[in-house]
Structure formats: C-alpha cells, structure tokens
Amino acid sequence: MKTKHKELNNWIDEMVKMCKPEKVVLIDGSLKQKLVLEKEAFETGELIELNQEKLPGCVLHRTAINDVARTENLTFICTSSKEDAGPTNNWMNPEDGYHKAAEIFKSSMVGRTMYVIPFSMGPIGSPFSKIGVELTDSIYVVDNMLVVTRVGQKVLDFLGTDGKFTKCLHSKADLDINKRLILHFPEDNTIWSVGSGYGGNVLLGKKCMALRIASYLGRQEGWMAEHMLILGVEKPTGEINYVAAAFPSACGKTNLAMMVPPEGLKVKGYKVWTVGDDIAWMRIKEDDSLWAVNPESGFFGVAPGTNSKSNPNAVKTIQKDTIYTNVLLKTDGTVWWENGDGPIPSEGIDWMGNPWKPGIIGDDGKPKKGANPNSRFTAPASQCPSISPRFNDPEGVPITAIIFGGRRASVAPLVYQSFGWNHGVFLGSIMASEITAAQYGAQGMVRRDPMAMIPFCGYNMADYFKHWLEMGSKMKNPPKIFHVNWFKTNKEGQFLWPGYGDNLRVLEWIIDRSNEKISAYKSPIGYMPYKKDLDLNGLDINEEVLDKLFDININEWVKETKDIKEFYAKFGSKLPEELNIELNDLIDRLG
Ligand code: OXD
Ligand code: MN
C-alpha cells in the first residue's frame, strides 16, 4: 500500500516492521468497503449484527470486561521536560515511552490486518481543520472513526505529497490491562495507544488528538481546543446566538447540546441547533471575535439515561447506522440500557455477554446491570434532528458566550456572569464537580476540573491558563463568560432546578446579557440575574426555591476560596499572576 505522501509511506513502513501485520489495507471511506469489513467482523464476533428491520445499519460490540472506560492512570504526556506536562498530567520521558510501548507493539499484529485510516478533524480544507492518520488492527475502531471523523481518499488528496498530519498508532495487542499505554508525544505530533479497545483510548482522533495534541498545537499556533459542546439558539427573527459550554463528565453535555425548548418557551418560537456535544476548536477571526467548529462528525454518547424524555433528539439520532458498545442485547436483536426507553426486558444478554434477567444478583450483592454504566452509542451527527445547518461550515460559527459548569449540591448558584474575560478564566480555572453517591469516592467531595480539561490538557495547565488569558487580550469582542449549576439541591437532596429543556430559560438570560439587552446586579462572585429577567412561563417553581437557587452563602464561599488556594498551590510560581489577583479580589469582595 503506497500513498503519494513520502513521509506517510515511510512511517507506515516503520510501523509495519514493528507490528508485523499480515496485510495493510487503506480505508477509503466508501460504504462498500465498510460493509465488507463489517461482514468480516460479524464472522469473527468482533461485531454483532443487530435486527436490521428495527435498527438498520446498526451493530453491537462488547469490549473486554476490564476495558470499559478511559484509563487516565495509563495515559501519559511524553515531553522532553516533565514541567511541560505539568502537575495534573502523568508524564513519561519520550524515549522511555517509545521504548516501553514498542515492547508491546512488537509483533502485536501478526496474523492481523493493519488498517490505515486517513482522517480530518473538522471539515476537510477548513482553516480550523487538522489531518491525522490512524493505523489500527481493529475493525471496531475503523467503524467508529468512519462515524466520528471524516475519513478516506479525499483526506489523502487534501494531504497531498507533503501535508502535516498527526501520526496515530493503535493496536489492541492482548487487551491486557498490564500492557496498556495511551501515550502522547506532542513534540512529535504522535500518539501511541496499545492494549485497549475502549473508544476514548482508541478513537485517536477524539480525546487524544482533538483535545490533548490539539490543545498543545493550539497554544503554539494561537487557537484553542476545548472540551466543550456548541449549540445555537435561534430566535423567531432568525437571529442565532451560539454558545460553547464546558462540563465535566456526567453533567449532561450531550443532553444540553440536543435540548428541546420547554412548552412554556415554545410560544416564543425558539429553535435550538446542535453543532457539537463534546469538543470545540476555536479561533479569533478578522472580526476580532471567537469562532468555533466541532472537529468531530459524530457523537460517542453515553447510553444509560438516554431516553425520549431526557434527550428525544439523541433517541431519534440512534435509530440507524449506529454502533452500540456494551449495551444489553434483547432477544429480538435490538438493544436496551438502564434508564432508556421501553419496558425492562424480561431477558437478554448483558454487556459482558452473559444471559441476563432483571434482578439477578452480581458478585457484589447488587442487581446486575444489563448495560455497562459507560456503555455508548456512536452515531453520525447528520442523523440528529437538531443538527445545525452550519455544522459543516468551514468558517465555523461565532461564539456569543462561553459557559462553565459543574455538579454542586450547594455553593454555586444556578447562573452568574463573570465581571470580564480574566474573571471568566478564573471561573473556568476553579470549576469543580462533586462526587455523588453513585460514584466512587467520598460523597460530597469536590474535584477541581478546570475547564473540564483535567484529563485532556496536553501540556502544563498553568501555561494553559496563561494561553486563555492571552487569547482574551487579543480579542476586541470576546465572548462573555458565565458559570451555571443545574445540580443545586435542597436539604432532602432533591434538585431545585428541573434541568433538561428548561435550561433554555438560563441560556436565554445568558444570551440577553451577552448582547447587553438586560441589566444584572453585582454580587461578590459575579453578576447575578434579576428574577424578573428569567422567563419562567409554564414552569411550576415557587419564590422560595428560586431564592435558594440564587442564594450565595458567604461562609461556603470563604471555604471555597481556601480550597482554591490549595489547588492553585499545585502550579507553584507558574500560575499566572492574573488568577491570584482574581482570587484575592474575590476574597476581598466576600469580606
Ligand atoms: C468523556 C467522553 O469521557 O466524552 O469526556 O467520552
Ligand atoms: Mn467528553
């Protein structure tokens, strides 16, 4: 297999020598080739064909039992200097990284095929976009990359004879957790992932390239790669405001990106457009404002909890041409997951491939789940009913507001606005989410996750904060920055805010504030809404609850500032002074 690109050919030859596949196949992006590969995977059991009448084009895959989530402890940033990876990343020296991983890659593809996947993150040819080439021995990876990225000959044509690309090498090897490494070499624009078959570890265009490597490139080249959804809110006048929002995992990013306006707001004729649910690449354009594209072309969403109420658009998106991973297989060849649609099936095959019935008890004494809590659907963005008409626009969309959020039972009010860009960067840098009873860790414990990028920033996070501050200083019309918390609870632990579609009420306030249509009052933590400016039409919520949603408890905030100080100390003298100033100003305002 030869392309017109000499460097690409040489690299493939080198990797072939190490991995020793039986053959090398170029993925051309055609449906014909995809169907041939899927047929092969049905024969080996790598994929299971689902009921083609009810779920046309859909397949199921089960990963190894010890391989169901991103393995952050086995994920490394390999830079010459440890300081460049910073205190929040695992670090390995590049030489050690290549050496250790090569030991596992060596002969890992004997008897297997190496697939060569040329892909573009972002519309091919857009000034935002970047090319990558992934080599893999997994048809499941090929199938997923065909959905979440733009793949094929047209990418190679664009790459030409000497275009730049990210070198992405993946092998399942033995799927042995003790021989699993996810390594990033930002100085070489290279990713090596071995020993895993789980999406976040192996769809190398996504978290590895579009966030870790891209954040590094973004800093060098003056743009931003962020863990953010992008959505557009259209008014009946046709005016559309786009917002980008960062939330840590399990805070409903996909649901927010695909939200449906609540009944009470429908009378205003709003439409919500989905641009992306996970990643935003943002650049400053000639108009001195920030524009964004979603570099992906599909969704890799969490299945459990997705149903016609929580996310009707996602449910419609995944009715065809969808890859399901680690969900329950029903007897009729369709799929199910906890908190999904339809009645609980009376039997099925669980995500581990074992017979399942509701209520059967696992080794831990608890009822066994049919679907893994991190089971997924991979579906083309084009199938989403709310997909933005500008989804493929090579110029991207202009960003009116940036939103940071976390899961906090108390402390953070429903919404507030930063006093300016630097204060907004401060709000991003102190983002935090609480561990709930449903997760590992002490309940109520707060985990800091600046800009939701802790697992994804490809360099020293102190430099990342500096990059954010610098980007703001370069813009005449920067987006306004906000913080939201959909998860405030009462004493009984019940949510105070209904969330889902009703979050549009908060977005409406955010957009009106960004366009300077309404005023707000100044609190110690930021600008807060006057209650009259939140449209609560059709929402049954009383004054007392509203007051609680906007309550700022000074004692809690003083405690919060102590925790932030401790977190900031991790970065030592590298922490930008601007953030210390913001923290001290907050302490002063709290009195
Ligand atoms: C994540 C994801 O882990 O999007 O953030 O899969
Ligand atoms: Mn994500």
Side-chain angles (χ1 to χ4, degrees):
M1 200 227 79
K2 283 277 174 271
T3 69
K4 286 192 216 137
H5 197 292
K6 203 166 151 208
E7 188 191 344
L8 175 57
N9 293 338
N10 291 344
W11 173 63
I12 296 173
D13 286 347
E14 223 183 292
M15 298 303 107
V16 164
K17 257 190 213 139
M18 176 167 69
C19 302
K20 299 199 170 39
E22 191 180 297
K23 58 181 184 206
V24 180
V25 169
L26 175 69
I27 300 302
D28 60 17
S30 70
L31 177 64
K32 191 170 147 212
Q33 186 185 42
K34 174 182 134 108
L35 294 177
V36 169
L37 292 180
E38 282 184 348
K39 192 155 175 276
E40 200 181 310
F42 296 149
E43 278 156 23
T44 62
E46 187 177 353
L47 296 177
I48 296 165
E49 188 170 36
L50 292 171
N51 182 325
Q52 293 302 295
E53 255 164 52
K54 294 183 177 166
L55 292 170
C58 294
V59 299
L60 169 68
H61 173 76
R62 296 190 191 108
T63 63
I65 290 169
N66 68 7
D67 193 21
V68 294
R70 286 183 291 101
T71 36
E72 286 176 22
N73 58 326
L74 303 174
T75 300
F76 291 81
I77 301 296
C78 306
T79 40
S80 319
S81 131
K82 185 168 186 209
E83 201 185 1
D84 287 347
T88 60
N89 279 312
N90 298 316
W91 174 81
M92 214 188 276
N93 145 347
E95 215 176 294
D96 286 352
Y98 283 126
H99 182 76
K100 276 192 186 152
E103 287 300 309
I104 313 171
F105 273 117
K106 252 182 223 162
S107 303
S108 61
M109 297 188 190
V110 169
R112 299 181 186 173
T113 303
M114 176 190 273
Y115 301 100
V116 177
I117 315 170
F119 64 92
S120 175
M121 298 313 291
I124 297 168
S126 151
F128 285 84
S129 299
K130 297 279 179 199
I131 304 290
V133 179
E134 177 160 354
L135 312 180
T136 180
D137 53 4
S138 158
I139 293 178
Y140 171 71
V141 168
V142 173
D143 233 17
N144 274 271
M145 288 292 283
L146 284 167
V147 177
V148 296
T149 75
R150 292 141 169 109
V151 171
Q153 185 58 44
K154 52 193 189 290
V155 177
L156 281 184
D157 294 343
F158 181 75
L159 194 61
T161 55
D162 59 357
K164 264 174 90 172
F165 66 98
T166 303
K167 300 182 174 96
C168 307
L169 175 66
H170 166 249
S171 171
K172 295 180 284 192
D174 301 330
L175 293 175
D176 176 351
I177 195 160
N178 298 310
K179 292 189 194 161
R180 183 175 300 160
L181 285 171
I182 322 297
L183 306 183
H184 304 73
F185 304 90
E187 291 155 3
D188 302 338
N189 200 1
T190 294
I191 301 159
W192 279 19
S193 163
V194 68
S196 172
Y198 171 74
N201 290 335
V202 301
L203 310 180
L204 299 185
K206 192 174 171 70
K207 301 297 188 184
C208 298
M209 177 173 158
L211 286 175
R212 298 196 190 96
I213 294 288
S215 61
Y216 180 95
L217 292 175
R219 178 179 170 230
Q220 281 184 337
E221 299 169 2
W223 54 282
M224 305 164 96
E226 299 299 331
H227 191 200
M228 289 179 176
L229 65 91
I230 310 166
L231 67 80
V233 178
E234 179 172 346
K235 292 192 175 157
T237 55
E239 178 196 336
I240 308 181
N241 284 276
Y242 295 91
V243 303
F247 295 87
S249 60
C251 288
K253 253 165 73 212
T254 304
N255 293 348
L256 185 64
M258 298 183 187
M259 74 148 75
V260 174
E263 282 307 319
L265 280 198
K266 269 196 189 135
V267 291
K268 285 185 168 171
Y270 281 121
K271 276 192 205 134
V272 176
W273 297 112
T274 308
V275 182
D277 76 328
D278 197 36
I279 302 177
W281 282 3
M282 307 199 282
R283 282 176 185 270
I284 302 171
K285 295 265 279 266
E286 305 74 40
D287 64 352
D288 272 327
S289 54
L290 199 61
W291 289 61
V293 297
N294 168 12
E296 301 187 273
S297 59
F299 307 114
F300 180 63
V302 177
T306 303
N307 59 53
S308 298
K309 253 188 123 168
S310 65
N311 195 336
N313 282 326
V315 170
K316 286 179 193 143
T317 305
I318 59 179
Q319 296 308 315
K320 60 173 187 177
D321 298 328
T322 295
I323 304 157
Y324 289 97
T325 306
N326 293 340
V327 296
L328 178 115
L329 176 63
K330 292 190 353 189
T331 48
D332 68 348
T334 64
V335 290
W336 180 84
W337 47 82
E338 279 72 16
N339 229 330
D341 279 335
I344 300 175
S346 57
E347 60 179 317
I349 307 287
D350 72 10
W351 66 273
M352 292 183 274
N354 298 321
W356 179 92
K357 277 188 190 333
I360 51 168
I361 303 297
D363 294 339
D364 58 0
K366 291 185 189 149
K368 272 192 180 179
K369 298 236 188 277
N372 185 279
N374 192 32
S375 54
R376 298 277 175 151
F377 54 77
T378 316
S382 58
Q383 291 178 187
C384 179
S386 60
I387 198 70
S388 163
R390 287 173 75 175
F391 174 74
N392 281 311
D393 191 333
E395 295 303 315
V397 295
I399 299 298
T400 303
I402 287 175
I403 303 171
F404 295 122
R407 178 185 284 270
R408 303 298 300 265
S410 64
V411 189
L414 178 62
V415 60
Y416 62 107
Q417 182 185 358
S418 75
F419 294 125
W421 183 268
N422 285 9
H423 182 229
V425 176
F426 171 72
L427 297 188
S429 79
I430 66 168
M431 253 174 74
S433 237
E434 263 147 32
I435 294 173
T436 65
Q439 291 171 294
Y440 295 112
Q443 195 175 347
M445 196 180 95
V446 170
R447 189 164 36 197
R448 299 267 155 215
D449 186 358
M451 285 84 169
M453 281 289 276
I454 277 275
F456 307 120
C457 184
Y459 60 104
N460 191 315
M461 207 147 208
D463 291 328
Y464 168 79
F465 296 148
K466 190 155 166 252
H467 182 49
W468 262 85
L469 293 163
E470 281 169 5
M471 287 294 288
S473 69
K474 284 189 208 159
M475 275 180 280
K476 275 210 196 82
N477 310 306
K480 301 289 190 288
I481 302 181
F482 297 80
H483 189 281
V484 300
N485 176 21
W486 315 133
F487 301 97
K488 222 174 170 191
T489 57
N490 61 15
K491 280 201 200 85
E492 290 72 43
Q494 292 152 331
F495 293 121
L496 295 170
W497 181 249
Y500 300 109
D502 286 300
N503 292 336
L504 182 59
R505 302 174 192 277
V506 175
L507 292 187
E508 189 186 30
W509 183 80
I510 286 175
I511 289 165
D512 283 348
R513 275 296 294 166
S514 301
N515 295 323
E516 293 171 10
K517 296 240 169 84
I518 49 174
S519 56
Y521 69 91
K522 217 170 168 174
S523 81
I525 64 167
Y527 291 117
M528 301 278 294
Y530 289 113
K531 276 188 258 171
K532 68 170 175 50
D533 290 326
L534 266 190
D535 188 338
L536 300 175
N537 186 24
L539 183 63
D540 186 16
I541 194 164
N542 66 38
E543 282 293 311
E544 199 191 332
V545 171
L546 264 188
D547 288 339
K548 279 203 186 116
L549 279 166
F550 290 108
D551 175 50
I552 297 166
N553 181 318
I554 299 291
N555 288 339
E556 280 180 352
W557 272 94
V558 169
K559 211 164 136 245
E560 185 81 357
T561 57
K562 289 184 183 145
D563 194 65
I564 296 166
K565 220 176 215 169
E566 231 170 80
F567 177 67
Y568 273 3
K570 272 189 186 198
F571 302 100
S573 60
K574 248 184 166 313
L575 187 86
E577 193 43 33
E578 290 88 335
L579 294 184
N580 273 322
I581 293 173
E582 291 297 337
L583 177 57
N584 289 329
D585 286 354
L586 172 62
I587 292 170
D588 285 349
R589 288 193 302 266
L590 291 167

